[in-house]
Amino acid sequence: MKRTFIIPAIFALTAPGAIAASVPWWEQPTVCKLDPTDCYATMGIGYDGELWDNETGCWGMKMICPEALVSGGDYQPVPMGRRDIERGTNINKDFDTDLLNGDCFGMRKTMENGAMASVNGKYVRVWCNGILDNADEYLENGEITYGAQPTCQELADYGYVATVNNNCYGKYYDMAKYYIECNGGDITPSRIIVLNGADFSNSSTNAPADESAAKSIFDKMESVSESQRKIYFTKD
């Protein structure tokens, strides 16, 4: 009885080991392995699929453009995990890290079909190329400044007004045909006056003495025109 008991016991202890010994150690179920799951459904440009995201436990990190970061980067894209991106860790709030910008993610946020861009949490006008004296950044539709925006008069001196021109701001008016009148601190003109062929470069005996006198004349002309329009262009 004692002999018949030992044989089955030995068989029970050694049989699983014999089977396991035939499988390489690195493929045995007791060996810990990294989860083969990918962090993103598809990874191509803008991703590094060889990097392991420790916090989410999957393969693949987004490459964030250096300009989209608050600090760091050294002009090179930085790999970031999904949780850090979701939390906005070290990400500039003016940038959208869901948008691909070349070989990395992070483009400046825009609105109005790209005519406004986010700077320091506020949206500013994207000026058409060539309008700003010193642009701080060039975007797809034009250029922006991080500091003070141009005034109505500064734009008018070059024949521009702060209205939308396709996907940027800055519509040009020929200064030989139009007079742009600015008033107060508003960035848009109070009036744009058609000169009707008048040559403002030639002086005349009844020319206004200064800008104030000229505006007074324009005000009177506008008043007369409005009263005549009401008389002769009444609605049926």
Side-chain angles (χ1 to χ4, degrees), residues 177-181 191-195 211 215 218:
K177 299 177 181 179
Y178 300 92
Y179 173 73
I180 302 170
E181 181 180 296
R191 290 186 298 189
I192 299 176
I193 301 166
V194 181
L195 297 178
E211 184 176 356
K215 286 184 178 182
F218 287 138

Side-chain angles (χ1 to χ4, degrees), residues 9-233:
I10 294 173
F11 177 79
L13 292 172
T14 58
I19 296 172
S22 64
V23 179
W25 68 265
W26 59 87
E27 293 183 2
Q28 294 186 26
T30 56
V31 176
C32 295
K33 303 181 182 69
L34 293 177
D35 189 341
T37 305
D38 290 336
C39 294
Y40 301 93
T42 58
M43 286 187 286
I45 299 175
Y47 295 91
D48 190 328
E50 300 299 319
L51 295 177
W52 178 254
D53 188 341
N54 286 319
E55 194 168 2
T56 51
C58 56
W59 287 102
M61 286 191 177
K62 262 186 176 182
M63 303 301 294
I64 306 301
C65 300
E67 56 267 28
L69 299 174
V70 174
S71 62
D74 297 328
Y75 305 103
Q76 295 295 327
V78 174
M80 291 187 66
R82 293 175 64 179
R83 293 288 184 266
D84 281 339
I85 294 174
E86 291 169 0
R87 288 189 288 257
T89 304
N90 197 37
I91 293 177
N92 189 323
K93 61 185 176 182
D94 293 320
F95 285 78
D96 187 340
T97 53
D98 288 329
L99 299 178
L100 186 64
N101 184 9
D103 60 352
C104 54
F105 284 89
M107 293 189 70
R108 189 173 289 277
K109 295 176 183 178
T110 60
M111 60 185 296
E112 292 187 10
N113 203 23
M116 300 283 288
S118 180
V119 175
N120 297 325
K122 298 180 180 180
Y123 281 90
V124 301
R125 290 173 173 83
V126 176
W127 300 99
C128 300
N129 291 321
I131 292 179
L132 297 177
D133 289 334
N134 295 296
D136 291 311
E137 185 177 334
Y138 296 92
L139 304 180
E140 182 179 1
N141 295 335
E143 53 197 27
I144 59 175
T145 177
Y146 303 152
Q149 300 297 303
T151 65
C152 174
Q153 193 57 57
E154 287 172 342
L155 293 169
D157 288 343
Y158 295 96
Y160 287 100
V161 296
T163 57
V164 176
N165 183 7
N166 294 320
N167 295 329
C168 57
Y169 277 83
K171 189 173 181 181
Y172 178 74
Y173 285 82
D174 187 342
M175 298 176 70
K177 299 177 181 179
Y178 300 92
Y179 173 73
I180 302 170
E181 181 180 296
C182 297
N183 186 20
D186 196 349
I187 196 171
T188 56
S190 54
R191 290 186 298 189
I192 299 176
I193 301 166
V194 181
L195 297 178
N196 290 327
D199 186 357
F200 62 86
S201 63
N202 292 331
S203 60
S204 61
T205 55
N206 62 346
D210 52 28
E211 184 176 356
S212 178
K215 286 184 178 182
S216 177
I217 294 173
F218 287 138
D219 288 338
K220 183 177 180 180
M221 291 169 58
E222 184 179 42
S223 176
V224 172
S225 177
E226 178 66 17
S227 62
Q228 293 295 96
R229 186 185 66 81
K230 290 180 179 179
I231 295 173
Y232 298 103
F233 294 92

